[in-house]
Structures are given as structure tokens and as C-alpha cells.
Amino acid sequence: MLFRSFLHSIGGTKTASRTGSPPTLESTPAVEDGFMYVHNGWSQVLKIDVRSGTKGVNIWMNDPELEAGGAMRGSVALLGKYVYQNVGGPKPRLFKIDAATGETVWEVSTQPTQEEGSTANNSHSVQPMALKGQLMVAATGARDYIEIGRAHV
């Protein structure tokens, strides 16, 4: 039997998604050294101190400032001193976030070029995954793809 230690809200600040419905969320938090990193349906990433085991305390929230929330799946990825998150939609992007401060270090488009088979239907299907010092980003659309690369700079 599972006994709940505590609940912690990860709700966002916007009221609805592009469709007018509340955003959906399928997320598995990433935890390192007693800090939980998780995104919510508004594409905001939160760092929550869960070391006490009895409550969560927000340390920071990174907001990519999207117009509206949407469906978010998967987890953020931890690699070195950074948190990585995909943001889907018509302009999919990968964000590198400083794990200590919550500041965006950089963001980059992950939309393939037309030569690579890009269409307006491409979007992220899952969040990034850290693999041996590299990140894997998967997307779906007219041409599904997996992209793997180093996340330096």
C-alpha cells in the first residue's frame, strides 16, 4: 500500500491550451540530490526541494512564456549542471536551463529543415533523454525522427 507523504502543486499560470481546454500532462519527475525537476502542462520547469520528505519547496520556475499550454509528455533530462526540456507545437525547441539558477542558457529550434523532411505537423512526442553525455530528442509528424547530439556551449 502507498501512503502519501505530501502533495505539491505544479500548476501553471495560464488558463487554457490552444484548444481552449486545460493542458494535459504526462510527466515523470527527475530527482537528483533531493531536488525534483518537473515540467507542467504550461511548459514551465520547476525545481522543488523534496529533501525533507514531508513537503516540497519551490526553488525556481523557468517559464518559456508560451501563449498557451498544451500536451506535455515525458520528463525533463538532467545532464551535468543543466536541465533540458523540449517545447513542442508549431515551432519545437530545446531549452538548456541552469539547474542552480533556473535561467535559460540557450534555446534552439529542433524543427528539421525541409530537406530533412520537415512539415508543419512535426512536434515533440517525448521529452529529451540524456545518454552518455548526449541528448536524444524524438519527434513525430509527417516524418518521425530521432535526433542525438551533444549539448555543449
Side-chain angles (χ1 to χ4, degrees):
M1 176 172 276
L2 176 68
F3 295 96
R4 182 180 314 143
S5 296
F6 63 92
L7 292 175
H8 188 84
S9 174
I10 60 170
T13 57
K14 297 175 180 65
T15 58
S17 68
R18 289 175 199 84
T19 63
S21 302
T24 58
L25 174 66
E26 298 171 16
S27 180
T28 303
V31 179
E32 183 175 71
D33 296 330
F35 294 97
M36 180 170 60
Y37 302 86
V38 63
H39 64 78
N40 61 25
W42 291 266
S43 301
Q44 298 162 327
V45 177
L46 293 89
K47 178 180 182 178
I48 304 168
D49 184 344
V50 294
R51 293 176 292 180
S52 74
T54 59
K55 66 178 181 177
V57 177
N58 284 357
I59 303 299
W60 53 252
M61 180 179 68
N62 178 285
D63 188 349
E65 300 180 9
L66 301 180
E67 290 181 24
M72 294 293 292
R73 294 186 208 126
S75 177
V76 296
L78 299 176
L79 184 59
K81 297 178 182 181
Y82 302 99
V83 181
Y84 294 87
Q85 172 185 235
N86 281 334
V87 173
K91 297 179 182 176
R93 298 173 290 165
L94 176 67
F95 284 81
K96 179 179 184 178
I97 303 164
D98 185 297
T101 67
E103 296 296 319
T104 298
V105 176
W106 52 248
E107 65 178 276
V108 63
S109 172
T110 55
Q111 181 76 26
T113 65
Q114 287 184 336
E115 293 80 26
E116 295 170 321
S118 176
T119 70
N121 296 328
N122 282 17
S123 185
H124 295 301
S125 55
V126 295
Q127 289 296 314
M129 179 182 288
L131 301 165
K132 296 185 179 183
Q134 298 189 76
L135 288 177
M136 179 177 74
V137 177
T140 186
R143 287 187 70 174
D144 295 347
Y145 67 91
I146 296 174
E147 178 180 1
I148 298 177
R150 291 198 169 87
H152 299 292
V153 180

